[in-house]
Amino acid sequence: MSASTYELGRLHGGLRLDSLKEQSTSHSIYEMPVPARLVLPISQHVGSAARPIVGIGEQVLKGQRIAETGGTLGAPVHASSSGRVVAIEPWPVSRRYGDAAPCIVIECDGEDRSIEDADALPAYRDTAPEALLTKILQGGIVGLGGAVFPTAQKLAQALAGELQYLILNGVECEPYISCDDLLMRERARQVVGGAQILMHALSLDVAYLVVESDKPDAIRRLGEALAELEDNRLVLIQVPTVYPSGGEDQLVQLVTNREVPTGGLPSDVGCLVQNVATAAAIYDWIIGHEPLISRITTVTGDGIVRPMNVMARLGTTVAEVVAFAGGYTDRAELLIIGGPMTGKSMTTDRVPVVKATNCILALSEPPKQGRARACIRCGECAVVCPVRLLPQQLYWYACADDEAKMRLHGLTDCIECGCCDLVCPSHIRLTADFRKAKARIRELEDEKARADRARRRFEARSERLDKEQRARERQLLAQKETARRAGPDAIAEILRRKQKDEE
Ligand code: SF4
Ligand code: SF4
């Protein structure tokens, strides 16, 4: 089915933004050299931090697992090159706005020797889906579109429902970011091959490969890869260039015209969305035996001398990537990890490239925002909101710190896309307020969950102690009865023992 014959669903709101991607798309992907030192955070994903399984001084090989999945939701971390572990210590990381988090530091030996994949699958088509999911987990694969949700667990969750479609997200709608575009242009075969592996793991017969219409080269290369494979289960779809059509729920709406319910998941309407880079990472692991140890990152903005896309080993610092791209221009003032709409400002470039680092953006000045004024109730924010929220209403509740009302009015559905900020004539930083309120709600939920766990533990302990006390009393009565028959000395002995027990 060609893009022109496919009938798309309707996306609510959104904006047509200047793409500003051409700065970084005029060159091929540059392969960065292995740095002298790698800094690998043990938490590069949603869920529990991984648990280090190497010690200081230990020699490691490229692709070796150095931290094991730390909980039911998580992913392992692998060495991105060979060398020696020199520290396991806190280091500034981008997922926490430059705050420090535990990292494994490897001094590279320059040999880049790989470990053999001892559990390599003979052929994925002969492998049961469950075994394939376990293998994907072992490769440390997480969602590379920015969400970094562990892929194997996402697939397992989706399999628990009635899945119909796999949607490969190659939309990349946020300005400046072009790593997926370059991936699709230069590694289309890996993207399509990864989609086939996912379809096998999910036992699916239909997958949509979705790309925005402003990426003609990527569309052409994907089309060629599909033609070569002659796999008509995969359908290539072009969608209009509108921000944020690459949001999971928005993409599901566009492709299937199905609405993901409030608080729900795409799998609730039979869909699973995976980023194209995640599909390529799965291909590299299952077919090429290389776990997730590197990624394509866009380094761009008017604060960078030679904007480009690089293939960087995870653990390379942002400072090294920027230096590889010619360094900062004299005008560089603002460093963002991610795009201008959803990225995070950084105060240091010592942070390492991690699984989530799709873009390093250096700008000469912050996006113009002006001084915030009172809301004039124009309603523009509601017109552009892709999840049909009423941002002006939420803003009133945010000013009153009324999280319960914000929740009631759908705050947790906000995807923090920033569209409402861009159109607000009063320059109100709505998204920042919503982000803060969502973090506060998460904190309260965590606190409540902790309190509930503590209460349950306390109740269980009290119940156990009561039971033991009752058993002791029954035993004492029985002993007293025996002693009454035996005489006063035996009674005194029992009472002495009881007192000792209580002490
Ligand atoms: S766009 Fe700004 S001024 Fe207009 S209703 Fe929304 S918050 Fe108020
Ligand atoms: S940031 Fe949230 S409230 Fe604002 S437009 Fe995006 S989804 Fe709607």
Side-chain angles (χ1 to χ4, degrees), residues 17 43 55 58 63 112 115 131 151 159 211 268 281 286 289 317 359 376-377 383 398 407 435 446 491:
L17 304 174
S43 182
E58 199 168 324
D112 210 24
I115 196 166
T151 303
L159 275 172
V211 187
D268 295 334
I286 303 294
H289 312 298
T317 63
C359 184
I376 55 168
R377 291 189 170 268
V383 172
R407 212 183 170 137
R435 201 172 280 151
D446 287 351
I491 292 180

Side-chain angles (χ1 to χ4, degrees), residues 57-77:
E58 199 168 324
Q59 295 290 332
V60 292
L61 294 171
K62 171 179 157 187
Q64 181 177 333
R65 220 175 301 161
I66 54 171
E68 197 46 274
T69 314
T72 43
L73 182 63
V77 177

Side-chain angles (χ1 to χ4, degrees), residues 308-326:
M308 58 173 66
N309 275 278
V310 297
M311 175 64 87
R313 300 290 170 99
L314 303 181
T316 308
T317 63
V318 164
E320 286 164 323
V321 177
V322 171
F324 186 78

